[in-house]
Amino acid sequence: MPELRGLVVDWGGVLTGDLRTAVQAWARADGIDLEAYGAIMRDWFGEPVGVEARLNPIHALERGEMTVPDFEVRLAAALSERTGRDHEAEGLLGRMFATFEHAPEMSALVRRARHGGLRTGLLSNSWGNDYPRDGWDEMFDVVVISGEVGMRKPEPEIFLHTLDLIGLEPSECVFVDDLPHNIAAAVEVGMVGVLHTSYDESLAELEVLFDRSLR
């Protein structure tokens, strides 16, 4: 096997706390019916997840083809239609992401990996949210945000674009994400995939893959 020389990580759910916890907190604060929200997400994502649909509002938002206010209006209207209750569109996504918690242990792992000589990158699907970019120059050699490049995971093009920027072959790079379909897409282009479930499990797996301590 080629030597593994690069580590690419997702943001939400890897460098932050669990996404479900944040969404549940938002639902409680905003009075959102989680069953209705889940049904809307399933409809919009399509079945199976990742099937191409140019008019899919989530895909359009992640590629930067739809503005945040437009998406918020669409989501608020869909929630109101399903529940019969009015929902405030303005600031909807900001409220959804307000309780996202930083995962300092994972960020520190990435910094140690880079200081140890590995090439590092961030590859994230954006919902138009602002990222806390302080310290990113120290953590990452490259940063790829879906809405800034007009591509989204699990499209193979965004993985290949990231690899081109980082200057490594797919077989030289490990990709860490919390969503199985994104891991499958990375593996399909030739990367090594690690499904993130916890800091301890990802640390142990990455140390085996890179054959070095990342503590």
Side-chain angles (χ1 to χ4, degrees), residues 41-188:
M41 293 299 102
R42 287 191 294 272
D43 286 349
W44 285 1
F45 270 116
E47 194 63 44
V49 170
V51 170
E52 177 58 22
R54 296 295 297 185
L55 298 180
N56 182 312
I58 294 174
H59 295 191
L61 178 68
E62 290 178 340
R63 291 195 193 97
E65 297 166 348
M66 177 180 285
T67 68
V68 168
D70 285 344
F71 181 85
E72 290 175 331
V73 168
R74 290 281 298 273
L75 179 55
L79 285 167
S80 297
E81 181 179 353
R82 284 183 178 269
T83 64
R85 297 174 48 233
D86 289 337
H87 290 276
E88 176 63 35
E90 185 175 357
L92 189 62
L93 290 187
R95 297 192 297 276
M96 182 187 297
F97 291 112
T99 60
F100 265 19
E101 295 183 357
H102 179 55
E105 289 182 325
M106 283 301 297
S107 294
L109 187 160
V110 175
R111 281 194 296 271
R112 291 193 297 270
R114 190 176 186 219
H115 292 163
L118 297 177
R119 301 278 292 171
T120 59
L122 177 73
L123 174 54
S124 174
N125 279 357
S126 170
W127 278 30
N129 44 298
D130 293 326
Y131 289 82
R133 300 184 187 230
D134 290 347
W136 280 14
D137 289 343
E138 182 186 0
M139 288 177 62
F140 303 116
D141 293 291
V142 302
V143 171
V144 177
I145 306 296
S146 65
E148 297 174 3
V149 298
M151 299 174 278
R152 61 179 293 277
K153 297 176 294 185
E155 296 167 350
E157 292 82 6
I158 199 168
F159 294 101
L160 297 175
H161 176 69
T162 304
L163 290 163
D164 184 57
L165 292 178
I166 209 168
L168 295 173
E169 294 297 318
S171 58
E172 297 177 301
C173 256
V174 177
F175 176 63
V176 182
D177 198 290
D178 63 316
L179 297 179
H181 62 274
N182 288 337
I183 292 296
V187 170
E188 186 68 24

